[in-house]
Amino acid sequence: MKAYLLKRLLQIVPTLLGITFITFLIIQLAPGNPAVLKLQMAAQGEMAESAYTEQIIEDTKRLYGLDKPLPVQYLLWVKRVFTFDFGSSYKDHRDVWEKIAERLPITIQINVISIFLVYLISIPFGIYSATHPETFADRLFTLLFFFLYSLPSFWTAVLLIMFFGGGDFWDVFPVYGISSVGAETWPSWQRLADRLWHLVLPVTCLTYGGLAYLSRLTRAELLEVIREDYVRTARAKGLSERVVIFKHAFRNALLPIVTLLAFLLPAMFGGSVIIESIFSIPGMGQLGFEAVLSRDYPVIMAITTLSALLTLAGLLISDILYAVLDPRIQLR
């Protein structure tokens, strides 16, 4: 185990280098220049062509280090990645970590609730469908979950706002932000209730797709496992169906589900651009989207590095859990 962990940890370095190179290349190939975009925003899109303007652009490039050759810029980029010193935002000159620290707790709150609900609801439904195949309930759940999986999240969000957010029908749930105006002066329990009330619609939009997918995945994997010879042998020994399912079958059916853990960590920190934009939630998804539009390289670099490290950590955890769940799997 120690040798395997050391090997995987050493592999993180070249993998991270490859990710930084691809990210840097994509950003450089994208149209637009941070210096020009910043001046356009300052002039509200009306920037006259003049020698003075060109001088300001050159001075801004020099300030951000954009006047250096691309190899030098990339080496500075790599240095910042490995020292976690991403500097200040090009957009508002605020520290990058300060901006992330503002947005990250909000995204974690939404995604932790969503992921918890996905696993809490989908696995029991998947187990029931696998142990009652081809019944009316199984077919009903299959139809329902395939229907949910086919719904685009942005379309569902618009429908929820229309029906439950004061659009054309009921005004039940708030559809803007994560708390009410003046909520900071309320008691703790009231602030918590208000926060949860604001998150009902966004969490719903983030949950139903994963719920449908994981439920069907659990059903398919458990159905395959309970048809194995060792499960039939366990039944022949007179063990109860519950013991056979949960002690012998379910553990092996968890292997494909464990694969999804590799993407849970970056999902919790990454945020959803579409849902956060629709419901005006100041989370990581919205921060990343705004950074791309304004060519805010330090923020893009920080979010990419964080997501890459979390993905690599998730893959490592998944591999270790494979060996824990099934001793037949060799770490090598």
Side-chain angles (χ1 to χ4, degrees):
M1 177 68 76
K2 291 181 179 179
Y4 174 76
L5 289 176
L6 180 61
K7 180 181 177 182
R8 288 300 302 269
L9 289 173
L10 291 175
Q11 287 176 349
I12 288 178
V13 177
T15 305
L16 193 59
L17 278 174
I19 293 172
T20 60
F21 177 74
I22 293 173
T23 306
F24 179 81
L25 189 63
I26 292 175
I27 289 177
Q28 294 298 326
L29 292 175
N33 186 293
V36 177
L37 289 173
K38 187 172 181 62
L39 288 177
Q40 286 178 341
M41 287 188 292
Q44 298 182 351
E46 298 178 1
M47 191 173 66
E49 295 289 339
S50 65
Y52 178 69
T53 303
E54 291 297 325
Q55 182 61 40
I56 294 177
I57 293 175
E58 292 303 319
D59 291 342
T60 307
K61 285 183 178 180
R62 195 175 302 110
L63 174 66
Y64 294 152
L66 300 174
D67 60 328
K68 296 180 174 62
L70 288 181
V72 176
Q73 291 187 42
Y74 176 67
L75 290 177
L76 293 174
W77 175 291
V78 172
K79 178 185 176 183
R80 287 189 168 186
V81 167
F82 282 95
T83 57
F84 289 95
D85 178 20
F86 300 109
S88 301
S89 167
Y90 289 170
K91 184 178 180 181
D92 52 15
H93 300 289
R94 293 179 58 200
D95 184 73
V96 172
W97 283 118
E98 181 184 339
K99 298 183 72 169
I100 291 177
E102 283 183 358
R103 307 289 188 109
L104 191 56
I106 299 171
T107 296
I108 291 178
Q109 289 175 25
I110 298 173
N111 289 332
V112 166
I113 296 173
S114 175
I115 291 170
F116 174 75
L117 291 175
V118 165
Y119 278 83
L120 179 67
I121 299 172
S122 62
I123 291 181
F125 272 103
I127 293 174
Y128 182 86
S129 295
T131 53
H132 300 78
E134 303 304 327
T135 61
F136 174 77
D138 176 42
R139 291 174 180 175
L140 179 63
F141 292 151
T142 300
L143 179 64
L144 173 63
F145 287 132
F146 272 120
F147 174 74
L148 289 176
Y149 190 66
S150 67
L151 298 178
S153 59
F154 66 88
W155 183 73
T156 304
V158 172
L159 285 183
L160 289 176
I161 292 173
M162 183 184 302
F163 281 95
F164 301 106
D168 295 330
F169 295 91
W170 301 287
D171 188 3
V172 181
F173 298 105
V175 297
Y176 181 86
I178 57 171
S179 58
S180 302
V181 178
E184 60 275 3
T185 62
W186 297 354
S188 300
W189 68 268
Q190 196 171 356
R191 290 202 306 270
L192 176 61
D194 179 68
R195 175 65 59 88
L196 294 175
W197 197 244
H198 275 77
L199 296 182
V200 169
L201 296 186
V203 167
T204 300
C205 294
L206 290 172
T207 300
Y208 72 84
L211 162 66
Y213 174 76
L214 189 59
S215 173
R216 295 301 87 194
L217 179 64
T218 304
R219 176 188 182 275
E221 294 302 325
L222 190 56
L223 267 178
E224 182 178 350
V225 171
I226 61 179
R227 291 167 181 164
E228 296 287 341
D229 291 338
Y230 70 89
V231 176
R232 285 196 288 267
T233 302
R235 286 196 178 109
K237 290 179 179 179
L239 299 176
S240 66
E241 188 67 16
R242 179 174 296 181
V243 172
V244 170
I245 294 298
F246 287 99
K247 185 176 181 180
H248 296 279
F250 185 61
R251 180 173 176 175
N252 290 331
L254 281 174
L255 290 177
I257 298 174
V258 166
T259 307
L260 300 178
L261 291 176
F263 307 102
L264 284 184
L265 288 176
M268 282 195 295
F269 290 85
S272 171
V273 175
I274 296 175
I275 299 304
E276 290 181 5
S277 298
I278 292 176
F279 291 101
S280 301
I281 297 174
M284 291 292 292
Q286 191 181 79
L287 177 64
F289 182 63
E290 292 173 352
V292 171
L293 291 182
S294 59
R295 303 297 186 272
D296 196 346
Y297 294 168
V299 176
I300 296 173
M301 175 172 38
I303 293 176
T304 304
T305 303
L306 188 61
S307 299
L309 287 174
L310 291 173
T311 302
L312 294 171
L315 289 170
L316 179 60
I317 294 172
S318 296
D319 288 347
I320 295 173
L321 288 177
Y322 279 158
V324 172
L325 291 171
D326 189 350
R328 296 173 299 177
I329 296 177
Q330 300 295 319
L331 287 177
R332 63 175 177 270

